[in-house]
Amino acid sequence: MKKSYLTKNLRNKNKINVILASAIAVLLIAIIVTILNQDTNKLTGKSSLDSQNKSSQDDFIRKVEQSLHYHANIIRKSQGIPQLEFDNKLAEIARAHSKDMAENNYLAHENRVGEGATERAKKAGYNITKTFSGGRQSNYIQENAGVTYIYKSKSEENGTTIYNWKTPDEIGKEMVDALLASPSHRNHLLEKDATKEGVGAAIDKENLLYFTQMFW
């Protein structure tokens, strides 16, 4: 009886172990499938920025702004020009202009009521006056503006648009490279008298990113 009881008990334990092993295997498969699906979405770009929550899009935009600022300073440093300080107040003014351009589908240094960079800065309460050694003064804001798609390519798959998104750093570098290729924008970017910079960007419904770069 004792041997039979032990054998039966061992069989029950084996059954429990098999059930537990099966349950663990199913759980692991479910976790792996979930991870693979998440990775696939990242690689194919099936999720549009429009479908993400506002905080995610804002975080993407802030990273683009910082990337443009970073790459602008790399170029200035390579030319022996003092690096620019990021000015949050100026960035807010730049963001407002980029948002207006994105929402109203235009690209210009003047807004829809004819206000240029200096006028917009003054209207926002920004002190545009700068005094240099020797008494020389500057009373204006210089500005660069541009637009670029935030994806490298797109295609259709079973009625779904598949995006190959650019990274924020790729966008920032791309924009700086484009500015350097334009003589007037390059002059602003490499202005020796400029000490502060505000960068603001906004994305429209077509995944176009508008950016404004203001210099003081």
Side-chain angles (χ1 to χ4, degrees), residues 90-215:
L90 207 54
E92 290 177 8
I93 301 167
R95 270 182 216 121
H97 186 55
S98 293
K99 186 171 183 285
D100 188 52
M101 291 192 292
E103 291 178 349
N104 295 285
N105 191 31
Y106 76 95
L107 176 63
H109 290 296
E110 291 188 349
N111 60 17
R112 290 172 297 144
V113 294
E115 296 170 331
T118 299
E119 288 76 21
R120 284 184 274 111
K122 288 174 66 176
K123 187 175 181 178
Y126 192 87
N127 180 18
I128 65 168
T129 302
K130 183 192 296 185
T131 303
F132 300 93
S133 58
R136 181 171 62 91
Q137 284 192 334
S138 168
N139 293 292
Y140 61 90
I141 298 291
Q142 292 183 322
E143 179 181 83
N144 287 335
V147 62
T148 185
Y149 281 104
I150 60 174
Y151 58 85
K152 300 174 186 177
S153 61
K154 66 177 181 177
S155 59
E156 296 295 324
E157 182 180 298
N158 299 323
T160 301
T161 303
I162 309 299
Y163 291 94
N164 181 15
W165 301 111
K166 299 174 185 175
T167 67
D169 193 61
E170 287 173 333
I171 296 172
K173 187 176 186 308
E174 174 190 317
M175 291 188 294
V176 169
D177 288 343
L179 294 172
L180 289 171
S182 167
S184 60
H185 293 95
R186 180 186 177 89
N187 289 340
H188 291 163
L189 188 63
L190 301 179
E191 172 59 61
K192 294 180 180 180
D193 285 343
T195 56
K196 295 182 180 180
E197 173 191 41
V199 181
I203 299 172
D204 72 2
K205 294 181 179 180
E206 302 300 321
N207 292 313
L208 276 167
L209 182 140
Y210 291 78
F211 73 90
T212 306
Q213 180 185 36
M214 304 180 78
F215 303 93

Side-chain angles (χ1 to χ4, degrees), residues 1-31:
M1 288 295 293
K2 188 174 182 181
K3 181 178 180 182
S4 175
Y5 172 79
L6 290 174
T7 303
K8 184 177 180 180
N9 191 39
L10 182 60
R11 286 175 180 172
N12 288 336
K13 287 184 178 179
N14 287 339
K15 287 181 181 180
I16 293 172
N17 288 337
V18 170
I19 293 171
L20 287 174
S22 299
I24 292 171
V26 171
L27 180 61
L28 287 173
I29 291 171
I31 292 172

Side-chain angles (χ1 to χ4, degrees), residues 9-74:
N9 191 39
L10 182 60
R11 286 175 180 172
N12 288 336
K13 287 184 178 179
N14 287 339
K15 287 181 181 180
I16 293 172
N17 288 337
V18 170
I19 293 171
L20 287 174
S22 299
I24 292 171
V26 171
L27 180 61
L28 287 173
I29 291 171
I31 292 172
I32 291 170
V33 169
T34 301
I35 292 172
L36 287 175
N37 285 338
Q38 289 176 345
D39 288 343
T40 299
N41 285 337
K42 289 177 183 177
L43 291 173
T44 60
K46 288 184 178 180
S47 60
S48 170
L49 281 181
D50 285 339
S51 68
Q52 296 179 14
N53 59 50
K54 188 176 185 300
S55 62
S56 296
Q57 187 175 106
D58 287 346
D59 181 62
F60 182 90
I61 291 172
R62 296 296 91 80
K63 288 179 179 177
V64 170
E65 294 169 353
Q66 289 298 325
S67 175
L68 193 154
H69 174 65
Y70 171 76
H71 286 288
N73 272 334
I74 285 181

